[in-house]
Amino acid sequence: MKLSGSDIVIECLKEQKVDTIFGFPGGAVLNIYDSLYRRGEGINHILTTHEQGAAHAADGYARASGKTGVCMATSGPGATNLVTGIATAYMDSVPVVAITGQVHSSLIGKDSFQEVDITGVTMPITKHNFLVKDVDKLADTIRMAFQIASTGRPGPVLIDICKDVTINKTEFKPAGEKSRLNLKIKNSFTEEDLDKAADAVQKAERPVILSGGGTIIAGVTDILVELSAKIKAPISTTLMGTGSVPYDYPLYMGLLGMHGTRVSNRAVSECDLLITVGARFSDRVISDMRRFAPKAKIMHIDADPAEINKNITVHYPFSGNIEQVLKGILKRVKPIEDSLWAKSVISWKKEYGNNNIDKCRLTPKLIIEKISEMTNSEAVITTEVGQNQIWAAQYYRFKRPRQYISSGGLGTMGYGTGAAIGAQIALPDKKVINIAGDGSFRMNCNELATAVHYRLPIIIAVMNNGTLGMVRQWQTLFYEKRYSQTTLDRGPDFVKLADAYGAVGIRVEKPEQVQPALEKALSSDDRPVVIDFIIDIDEMVLPIVPPGKGIDELIYD
Amino acid sequence: MKHIISVLVNNQAGVLSRVSGLFSRRGFNIDSLAVGTTNIPEISRMTIVVDGDDNIVDQVQKQLSKLIDVIKVVRLDAENSVSRELALIKVRADTSVRSEIMQIAEVFRANIVDISKDTLTIEISGSSKKAEAMYEMLRPFGILEDARTGLLSLERGAKTILDD
Ligand SMILES: Cc1ncc(C[n+]2csc(CCOP(=O)(O)OP(=O)(O)O)c2C)c(N)n1
Ligand SMILES: [Mg+2]
């Protein structure tokens, strides 16, 4: 059957079982949008307000569901508007396929209208990208793109398709059984390595497990908790690992690193074996390298061989299939019944725990704990970036993986609304709440229009401190209160803004207003709700490790 | 420390920028990079000389291996491989020094590939050390311009890059 390139795009998306595309049309993708109109049954296209929103939505869809997210944009400005979203997905290893239109192949290199070398631009922020100039190669390219995005360590892949390719016709052959690429990750380890690792785990007196986002991607969070319980090793998570351990697991210590809990940072500073799984030792976790886990041997288990020994020297390296490693170790170790170490960690956890909530003030802790309570800890939480992001990780009581959706690696302000839209479309039966900051929400609040149009009952809970709070906090602590360009004394009025977009807007200024506001918001089932929580400008995220300090040198009050 | 890395890549548009982009993005230092097609037309071979400690070279190798267009990456041991580079050197050579320069070239088994009233162009191939020595000898006469290929290397013996 002879098909045009644009028809082939749609057929290939169906072949990949794509049910949703987030996108925005334009000249170079006109034909693709025409094919979508004519033969796109089964594919739900979400027209966002801005291409950045489409990219974040595809990313949120992928993180919430584990499937590959798809976004589409035209050439030039459409494509460059995707860039921040692609970089966000890249830093957090999220499978996204971005399809962009490109000018006619004969016009490439001539500075034609809306021509941008988007494969050049996105080379360092994609797992791979393609420029398609020949319709005969189109179908296989799309198939490879999906395979690359979702295999091994996932990541975004961009396919740039020349306009003439979308017009030209070729014989379309449905995908065969065999894929063209061999992307299998090779295991770097042997059975003897597993023996040695298990031996080290068994003999460790003070083991700690660190769980990163890779455990969620690999789907090994249950096995990890099982291992922890078997050997009585307390677990910390990175920001990206939030949700990989249920909040009420007794040996769960919370975040590690810059905003780590006192118990996490102390336990890691004292441990003699740090079993790190699916984490990459980012600077936000290790701070001062010399003071990070100084007494420990490091075991590192990751899908990506290049992560081993990249930022820290590893004693027990394992790259490849994380599940096989964990199961291999689990099988080999004998249960530890009584652990002094675990007991002392639990006692530190109690000692450092702060449960005296200040009920007279509207604080982020009070708000987010209430959100957690009223959603039975079942909601999917997206965040913006800054204090709101850390507060959400600290105070919402996450039960399972893929529940906390946040831009960890890139730290993209403006991520949360798009991500919430994507997550809500992936999981129509879940409550999706974007815990936002006022500064971040302002950046991409335009996507409220999208949420309203598609009747998505997402809740945007703005922690409105009237400031770029995380930056202000640094200015308070490390810049002698010189508040250079961080005060947001200028609106907009988020309640009126919500109203203008056709969403529900609620303002909350006192603790007793929290419950009724949330009740109202949670009862909306076809309209987004913005809750403007007015909090103090000097609210801080604590603990914090000052720049250049070790993780054991926390400021905590 | 200098290390020789040999890389087989798909002979496709953009591959060179993927590889060089990776080096600049990750802050790896390239001493030289030589690239050309191989006897298999779909495959090109890059020989890259990297400056850095073992950890860095290990990272280079792993990061390169992740590129979809990279087929194989190996580190070549300088002792156990043959390495050559080629340089073309245009040197000032009027009649008063011409024969002296030609004698030097002969000692180095270099070829005179072009001659003009005032210049000689010399082609030298060999180890980088040999090329350096040649440069030392020619510098006093005045080097007008020069071009070098960067190092090419193959492992000694029957083994090839595709064997494991
Ligand atoms: C796109 C982007 N620009 C700038 C920053 C730097 N930055 C990090 S946190 C932050 C403040 C965020 O303010 P807000 O959204 O109000 O969150 P808060 O910290 O007040 O909760 C800024 C400016 C960023 N992370 N992303
Ligand atoms: Mg703020």
Side-chain angles (χ1 to χ4, degrees):
Chain A
M1 182 183 25
K2 272 201 185 263
L3 290 183
S4 71
S6 59
D7 284 352
I8 289 173
V9 171
I10 302 302
E11 288 310 311
C12 286
L13 292 177
K14 289 184 188 166
E15 218 174 70
Q16 299 294 331
K17 310 214 162 37
V18 170
D19 54 21
T20 310
I21 306 175
F22 303 91
F24 202 92
V29 286
L30 257 172
N31 294 311
I32 301 179
Y33 273 90
D34 190 56
S35 295
L36 183 70
Y37 188 92
R38 287 186 287 100
R39 57 196 303 152
E41 70 282 357
I43 299 179
N44 182 16
H45 181 277
I46 305 293
L47 177 65
T48 56
T49 310
H50 187 293
E51 289 89 348
Q52 185 182 351
H56 291 327
D59 168 312
Y61 174 98
R63 294 193 209 214
S65 66
K67 294 191 281 184
T68 298
V70 181
C71 57
M72 184 149 75
T74 192
S75 66
T80 53
N81 273 350
L82 293 177
V83 167
T84 302
I86 293 172
T88 304
Y90 181 72
M91 289 297 273
D92 290 342
S93 308
V94 183
V96 167
V97 169
I99 298 171
T100 51
Q102 180 55 278
V103 299
H104 199 285
S105 59
S106 66
L107 290 175
I108 282 188
K110 302 189 188 303
D111 299 318
S112 312
F113 179 63
Q114 297 196 324
E115 180 190 358
V116 159
D117 171 17
I118 197 67
T119 49
V121 169
T122 58
M123 213 171 260
I125 54 165
T126 49
K127 190 169 167 190
H128 192 60
N129 60 24
F130 298 94
L131 169 61
V132 188
K133 291 179 170 178
D134 174 358
V135 71
D136 288 335
K137 298 200 172 132
L138 181 60
D140 274 343
T141 301
I142 296 172
R143 289 163 191 152
M144 282 192 278
F146 275 86
Q147 195 194 348
I148 293 166
S150 60
T151 313
R153 179 179 184 170
V157 178
L158 178 134
I159 315 168
D160 197 26
I161 307 173
C162 289
K163 181 145 188 190
D164 48 318
V165 171
T166 66
I167 301 164
N168 294 343
K169 291 193 166 169
T170 190
E171 195 62 35
F172 176 71
K173 296 186 212 77
E177 290 292 289
K178 238 180 77 207
S179 96
R180 290 194 40 189
L181 292 167
N182 178 13
L183 299 173
K184 277 249 173 66
I185 322 178
K186 282 200 212 96
N187 285 340
S188 70
F189 52 90
T190 59
E191 293 292 310
E192 289 80 72
D193 293 329
L194 285 171
D195 292 341
K196 263 194 257 167
D199 194 48
V201 169
Q202 194 83 67
K203 292 200 176 119
E205 285 173 7
R206 301 182 307 279
V208 166
I209 296 174
L210 172 60
S211 169
T215 65
I216 296 172
I217 296 169
V220 296
T221 53
D222 290 346
I223 308 173
L224 197 63
V225 175
E226 193 182 337
L227 178 65
S228 154
K230 191 166 183 184
I231 60 167
K232 301 285 181 288
I235 313 191
S236 298
T237 51
T238 65
L239 192 74
M240 292 303 296
T242 302
S244 62
V245 183
Y247 75 95
D248 55 356
Y249 174 63
L251 288 174
Y252 179 46
M253 302 186 289
L255 282 179
L256 175 71
M258 176 172 277
H259 297 296
T261 58
R262 288 175 73 190
V263 54
S264 270
N265 284 18
R266 175 164 181 192
V268 168
S269 300
E270 297 195 6
C271 72
D272 63 352
L273 179 69
L274 183 64
I275 306 166
T276 302
V277 190
R280 56 189 174 83
F281 296 104
S282 108
D283 52 297
R284 293 286 137 145
V285 168
I286 55 183
S287 289
D288 180 358
M289 171 96 86
R290 288 157 306 178
R291 296 188 70 120
F292 182 78
K295 302 171 188 164
K297 289 263 193 295
I298 311 265
M299 185 178 295
H300 192 184
I301 307 168
D302 203 277
D304 181 358
E307 287 304 335
I308 310 289
N309 288 324
K310 185 180 84 178
N311 293 350
I312 205 166
T313 308
V314 173
H315 307 92
Y316 302 97
F318 288 89
S319 66
N321 187 310
I322 299 181
E323 184 174 345
Q324 280 174 22
V325 181
L326 290 178
K327 284 191 167 159
I329 295 174
L330 194 61
K331 184 175 82 186
R332 285 169 172 79
V333 290
K334 288 194 271 314
I336 291 172
E337 296 306 338
D338 200 38
S339 160
L340 270 178
W341 168 242
K343 277 184 193 146
S344 37
V345 167
I346 287 172
S347 76
W348 299 338
K349 195 173 149 180
K350 269 211 197 89
E351 182 189 338
Y352 301 150
N354 162 25
N355 284 321
N356 42 342
I357 254 199
D358 179 355
K359 290 216 163 70
C360 318
R361 277 194 324 119
L362 189 58
T363 59
K365 182 170 159 61
L366 182 143
I367 298 164
I368 296 168
E369 284 182 348
K370 197 74 191 168
I371 296 177
S372 191
E373 182 193 314
M374 292 183 63
T375 54
N376 195 22
S377 302
E378 284 290 347
V380 172
I381 303 295
T382 70
T383 77
E384 297 291 350
V385 168
Q387 296 180 311
N388 57 86
Q389 174 182 38
I390 310 297
W391 286 327
Q394 289 176 327
Y395 301 134
Y396 196 90
R397 301 190 178 106
F398 294 98
K399 287 183 176 167
R400 56 185 162 77
R402 303 195 179 280
Q403 219 188 332
Y404 175 78
I405 296 179
S406 187
S407 168
L410 197 67
T412 308
M413 286 175 69
Y415 170 75
T417 307
I421 289 172
Q424 185 71 84
I425 283 168
L427 307 172
D429 299 330
K430 288 276 175 203
K431 199 72 225 168
V432 178
I433 303 177
N434 178 26
I435 295 186
D438 47 333
S440 302
F441 179 54
R442 273 161 46 117
M443 277 194 174
N444 285 333
C445 58
N446 51 12
E447 295 303 341
L448 263 184
T450 311
V452 168
H453 177 82
Y454 293 98
R455 300 173 177 277
L456 305 175
I458 58 172
I459 298 174
I460 302 189
V462 185
M463 302 295 122
N464 190 350
N465 48 9
T467 178
L468 301 172
M470 186 57 96
V471 184
R472 180 184 173 92
Q473 168 168 350
W474 279 61
Q475 291 169 333
T476 305
L477 294 172
F478 315 121
Y479 290 84
E480 296 165 333
K481 303 193 178 176
R482 290 187 297 276
Y483 296 123
S484 178
Q485 300 297 320
T486 46
T487 310
L488 294 179
D489 46 1
R490 61 201 68 185
D493 179 328
F494 291 133
V495 174
K496 284 191 187 150
L497 184 86
D499 191 48
Y501 275 115
V504 180
I506 310 172
R507 179 158 298 118
V508 171
E509 286 164 298
K510 298 194 196 93
E512 59 271 23
Q513 296 169 332
V514 174
Q515 173 133 356
L518 284 172
E519 268 164 14
K520 183 170 171 198
L522 289 166
S523 68
S524 169
D525 57 7
D526 64 351
R527 268 216 293 173
V529 180
V530 178
I531 313 180
D532 189 22
F533 290 102
I534 308 296
I535 61 172
D536 191 89
I537 194 169
D538 282 316
E539 217 55 75
M540 291 234 191
V541 168
L542 293 172
I544 179 171
V545 176
K549 292 286 165 73
I551 61 165
D552 55 339
E553 298 171 285
L554 279 172
I555 300 174
Y556 51 84
D557 55 16
Chain B
M1 250 306 262
K2 301 221 189 300
H3 303 262
I4 308 164
I5 296 182
S6 201
V7 192
L8 291 189
V9 298
N10 290 329
N11 182 9
Q12 251 172 35
V15 175
L16 184 58
S17 39
R18 285 182 205 281
V19 170
S20 60
L22 184 113
F23 275 78
S24 58
R25 177 162 78 90
R26 300 239 173 227
F28 304 142
N29 289 320
I30 300 186
D31 243 51
S32 73
L33 186 159
V35 54
T37 51
T38 64
N39 68 316
I40 307 163
E42 307 82 62
I43 296 180
S44 297
R45 184 165 181 143
M46 295 184 179
T47 310
I48 308 173
V49 179
V50 183
D51 201 5
D53 61 23
D54 268 348
N55 264 341
I56 291 182
V57 180
D58 187 47
Q59 263 295 303
V60 169
Q61 195 175 348
K62 286 170 171 172
Q63 296 291 356
L64 279 173
S65 305
K66 287 196 333 187
L67 296 179
I68 303 291
D69 281 326
V70 166
I71 300 161
K72 186 87 190 252
V73 185
V74 297
R75 270 163 88 165
L76 293 177
D77 172 19
E79 297 290 296
N80 197 31
S81 47
V82 281
S83 297
R84 292 287 180 272
E85 78 164 305
L86 184 135
L88 293 173
I89 309 168
K90 190 183 286 177
V91 63
R92 184 172 286 129
D94 59 19
T95 45
S96 68
V97 292
R98 189 178 290 158
S99 58
E100 194 184 335
I101 294 173
M102 288 168 81
Q103 264 174 17
I104 293 171
E106 204 169 314
V107 172
F108 279 92
R109 295 184 206 289
N111 298 321
I112 310 289
V113 289
D114 187 52
I115 183 162
S116 77
K117 197 158 69 49
D118 297 315
T119 65
L120 283 172
T121 300
I122 299 166
E123 169 206 313
I124 178 162
S125 93
S127 67
S128 298
K129 246 199 208 126
K130 182 175 165 191
E132 288 304 333
M134 180 88 199
Y135 271 86
E136 268 322 296
M137 295 306 292
L138 293 179
R139 215 159 265 137
F141 300 99
I143 294 173
L144 298 171
E145 64 173 336
D146 63 314
R148 296 170 77 157
T149 56
L151 205 67
L152 295 179
S153 279
L154 286 183
E155 185 163 349
R156 290 182 192 275
K159 214 174 142 225
T160 77
I161 185 169
L162 286 170
D163 298 339
D164 234 340

